Amino acid sequence: PLMARIQAWTTAADFFSSRKEFDRAVDGYNRAIALLTTRSPDLDFRLADTLIRAGRFQEALDWAEGMQVSAHQSLIRGRAHLETGDSGEALEDFTEANRLWPNNAYARYYTAVAAERQGQIDRAIEEYRYAIRIDADATDAALRLTHYYLARNEGRKALQILALTGPTNPAAFEVRLAIARIGGRIGRPGYSANLFEGFAPESTAPAEGLAAAAPGT
C-alpha cells in the first residue's frame, strides 16, 4: 500500500538522521515525498532540517520557498543563513519565526545565537532566557547563558539556571561539570554531590566532576 511505502521511507530517513548519515536521510525523505499526492508540512520541514544538517544550505533555502508553513520557512532560512555566516539576515529570519511561532524553544535559541554574533548581547541573554522558560532541555541555552552570569560574577544565578536542566539536555554532562566547577568556586560544594551517579562504573565522569570542583573548593 502507498501509505506503508511512505512510512517505510520516512522511518528509514529518520533512522539515517539519528546516525548522522544525513545525505542518506535526505534521499529517504525525498523518496517519501515523491510518493505523496499533496505536500506534507511535516516532511517538508524534516527534509529542510536534514539538508541543513548535511551542509546543503542552498538546497535548504530553495526547498523553503515551497514550504506551506510560514514559521517553518523563516526558521529554515534563518538556520541556513546562520550556518553560512550571514547572522544579520538570520536574525531577521528568526525574529519573524518568533512572531509566527512564539513558543518554539529552538527558534528562540537560534535567535540568541544570531544576536550574539551581531554583538547584541542583551538581546541574546533575553532570548536564551526565553528558550529556557519554554523548554530548558531542548538546547544548551542554559549552559550558554551561564557564561554571561559568570562574567558578571553571578555564580549563584548561574547555578539556578543550570539546575533547571535535566538528563535529557543535549549538554547534560557539560552542565554537570559546570555545576561542580561553579559550586566549588562560590563555596557551595553541595551542588556537586551525586551529580555523576548513574554513569557506568568504568566511566571517568566522577573523576572529571571531582577535578572540576577541586580548584574552587
Side-chain angles (χ1 to χ4, degrees), residues 47-202:
L47 174 58
D49 174 74
T50 307
L51 284 168
I52 289 173
R53 297 174 75 187
R56 296 159 63 171
F57 306 122
Q58 187 57 52
E59 289 179 66
L61 287 170
D62 292 341
W63 186 256
E65 291 300 315
M67 293 173 73
Q68 297 172 310
V69 180
S70 297
H72 289 178
Q73 284 183 321
S74 297
L75 190 53
I76 291 300
R77 286 172 180 157
R79 288 182 60 202
H81 287 137
L82 191 65
E83 291 289 345
T84 55
D86 193 350
S87 57
E89 187 73 23
L91 188 55
E92 292 183 13
D93 292 323
F94 292 133
T95 298
E96 178 65 7
N98 290 332
R99 185 184 70 80
L100 297 168
W101 199 352
N103 290 319
N104 185 300
Y106 296 99
R108 294 290 177 177
Y109 172 82
Y110 286 120
T111 304
V113 174
E116 269 183 337
R117 295 184 185 178
Q118 285 289 297
Q120 298 182 27
I121 302 305
D122 287 341
R123 180 172 182 187
I125 290 172
E126 184 56 35
E127 295 292 354
Y128 281 136
R129 286 173 176 162
Y130 210 129
I132 293 165
R133 285 197 296 271
I134 297 168
D135 186 348
D137 287 324
T139 68
D140 66 350
L143 194 63
R144 286 175 173 261
L145 183 57
T146 293
H147 296 307
Y148 290 110
Y149 285 129
L150 292 179
R152 298 173 177 178
N153 200 30
E154 296 178 339
R156 283 176 172 75
K157 281 188 177 181
L159 285 178
Q160 289 169 0
I161 290 295
L162 294 173
L164 296 174
T165 67
T168 62
N169 189 281
F173 182 65
E174 291 78 6
V175 166
R176 294 181 189 193
L177 286 178
I179 291 173
R181 186 179 302 112
I182 298 165
R185 182 188 302 179
I186 69 172
R188 296 287 295 276
Y191 273 95
S192 62
N194 305 319
L195 278 174
F196 300 93
E197 287 184 352
F199 288 88
E202 66 274 13

Side-chain angles (χ1 to χ4, degrees), residues 3-84:
M3 288 307 299
R5 293 169 61 196
I6 293 170
Q7 185 59 49
W9 279 117
T10 302
T11 300
D14 290 344
F15 172 75
F16 289 130
S17 182
S18 71
R19 291 171 57 87
K20 299 185 178 181
E21 297 181 40
F22 300 124
D23 287 324
R24 296 183 74 180
V26 166
D27 180 62
Y29 289 130
N30 273 324
R31 288 175 181 269
I33 289 168
L35 296 171
L36 296 174
T37 55
T38 57
R39 293 287 288 264
S40 163
D42 177 61
L43 283 180
D44 275 355
F45 187 77
R46 288 200 221 181
L47 174 58
D49 174 74
T50 307
L51 284 168
I52 289 173
R53 297 174 75 187
R56 296 159 63 171
F57 306 122
Q58 187 57 52
E59 289 179 66
L61 287 170
D62 292 341
W63 186 256
E65 291 300 315
M67 293 173 73
Q68 297 172 310
V69 180
S70 297
H72 289 178
Q73 284 183 321
S74 297
L75 190 53
I76 291 300
R77 286 172 180 157
R79 288 182 60 202
H81 287 137
L82 191 65
E83 291 289 345
T84 55

